Amino acid sequence: MPNLPLTLVVITYNEAHTIARCLDSVPFAAEKVVVDSGSTDDTVAIARAHGARVVHQDWLGFGPQRNFATTQASHPWLLALDADEFLSPELAAELETALPAIQASADAAVYLRRRTIYMGRPMRWYRPAVGEKMARLWHRDRARWTDARVHESLRFDGPSRTLRGAFDHVNNPSLVEKQLKVLRYSELKCRDWYDKGKSTRMWQTPFVFLLAFIKDYLFRLAFLDGWRGFIIAQTAASYAVYKRMRYYEMRHNPASRDSASTALHRHGLDRGSDTTT
């Protein structure tokens, strides 16, 4: 497969079990850049063995880390994947065919569709998991990632297009990993809220769980995926509630920020959960 003037960028931290699959799924990229924030496993060695140039950067937060990765690319067009994501053969073939026209266009970004593998099998009906559109291919001079610590997104004003093929996301190998991620992502989101002085609005909390669960379970069709759909809707609703409870604690007991950082560090979950504002 010919190399095309495209840089694949992946941000990593202890992703030895997934990084090879991710990198190998984009065989046509002329350059592969892995920005690692201090992995203690074999991530760096595996990434290099699979054709990536590895750059170390202490953790800046998801948005800033992606923007730093952009500066390390040799090509103006970039493709971002997480280490637990990989292109399907269909999308890889579509990208190889479409890239020359995309790169010759005035497009700022391209939307790709992501499908989720949950509890070992692809979700079939839950809408965010069967074809969620995400801007992951972009021109570095026409788009930029938001600076959010977590839940970052690509921002651009120019034209875009959407491809038909999908890339796959292995959503947490187990519920244990999911709950650990909930703790970490909640802490990052709450720190963003804290920096912005967001009001707590705890009176909304009893309704948040119910509305979030109904939205995912009914309106986003999770119920059609059986018990897996129930679990994914319940987990999402619990995350929405926990963020608000943790933020309330953070506002009313600022010392809990240091305590939480210590606890996250003790369990190896402190990447990005700094104590600065």
Side-chain angles (χ1 to χ4, degrees):
M1 187 173 290
N3 284 343
L4 297 176
L6 172 77
T7 298
L8 168 66
V9 291
V10 187
I11 57 176
T12 59
Y13 178 75
N14 287 347
E15 304 287 358
H17 57 299
T18 59
I19 188 62
R21 179 182 59 195
C22 174
L23 295 172
D24 291 348
S25 75
V26 194
F28 51 82
E31 181 182 48
K32 300 176 184 181
V33 175
V34 167
V35 176
D36 187 79
S37 55
S39 291
T40 56
D41 62 5
D42 292 330
T43 298
V44 170
I46 294 172
R48 287 175 175 154
H50 286 260
R53 174 166 57 90
V54 180
V55 179
H56 174 82
Q57 171 59 53
D58 290 341
W59 186 244
L60 303 170
F62 281 96
Q65 197 82 351
R66 291 197 192 277
N67 284 324
F68 172 81
T70 300
T71 68
Q72 302 303 301
S74 303
H75 301 287
W77 278 93
L78 299 91
L79 170 66
L81 291 177
D82 292 337
D84 59 358
E85 297 171 341
F86 56 97
L87 298 188
S88 67
E90 296 79 15
L91 180 54
E94 185 180 5
L95 273 169
E96 185 189 2
T97 300
L99 270 172
I102 292 171
Q103 293 172 330
S105 73
D107 287 350
V110 177
Y111 287 95
L112 308 179
R113 300 182 187 276
R114 184 173 76 170
R115 62 190 175 199
T116 297
I117 299 169
Y118 188 67
M119 293 189 170
R121 291 183 291 136
M123 298 294 283
R124 295 183 58 198
W125 296 99
Y126 178 52
R127 287 183 175 178
V130 296
E132 181 182 17
K133 289 172 56 178
M134 309 186 80
R136 290 296 191 88
L137 179 65
W138 77 101
H139 191 290
R140 66 183 174 196
D141 297 328
R142 303 170 191 165
R144 177 180 171 83
W145 293 89
T146 59
D147 287 326
R149 285 189 176 99
V150 69
H151 303 316
E152 74 288 2
S153 60
L154 194 64
R155 291 288 183 260
F156 56 92
D157 295 322
S160 64
R161 67 181 75 190
T162 302
L163 299 184
R164 289 192 299 267
F167 66 99
D168 291 300
H169 174 219
V170 181
N171 188 307
N172 304 297
S174 73
L175 284 175
V176 173
E177 280 103 337
K178 176 62 178 178
Q179 293 306 315
L180 293 174
K181 183 179 287 187
V182 164
L183 290 174
R184 178 168 168 252
Y185 278 24
S186 296
E187 197 69 13
L188 294 172
K189 190 64 177 178
C190 289
R191 290 178 188 278
D192 275 347
W193 287 347
Y194 192 93
D195 291 349
K196 296 173 183 177
K198 179 182 171 70
S199 59
T200 53
R201 300 178 183 175
M202 277 296 289
W203 64 270
Q204 296 178 347
T205 303
F207 308 101
V208 165
F209 180 90
L210 181 61
L211 293 175
F213 181 83
I214 290 173
K215 178 181 71 174
D216 277 345
Y217 193 63
L218 295 180
F219 295 111
R220 291 181 169 178
L221 305 182
F223 72 95
L224 292 175
D225 277 304
W227 284 113
R228 290 189 305 145
F230 175 87
I231 292 167
I232 206 167
Q234 191 278 339
T235 303
S238 296
Y239 172 54
V241 169
Y242 176 76
K243 283 187 297 184
R244 285 159 176 79
M245 295 191 301
R246 173 65 184 121
Y247 183 57
Y248 178 86
E249 179 185 39
M250 193 179 287
R251 288 287 300 271
H252 286 76
N253 180 21
S256 70
R257 298 172 68 223
D258 292 334
S259 177
S261 290
T262 300
L264 290 169
H265 177 74
R266 186 165 60 245
H267 294 284
L269 301 172
D270 60 330
R271 184 180 62 136
S273 54
D274 56 275
T275 57
T276 60
T277 59

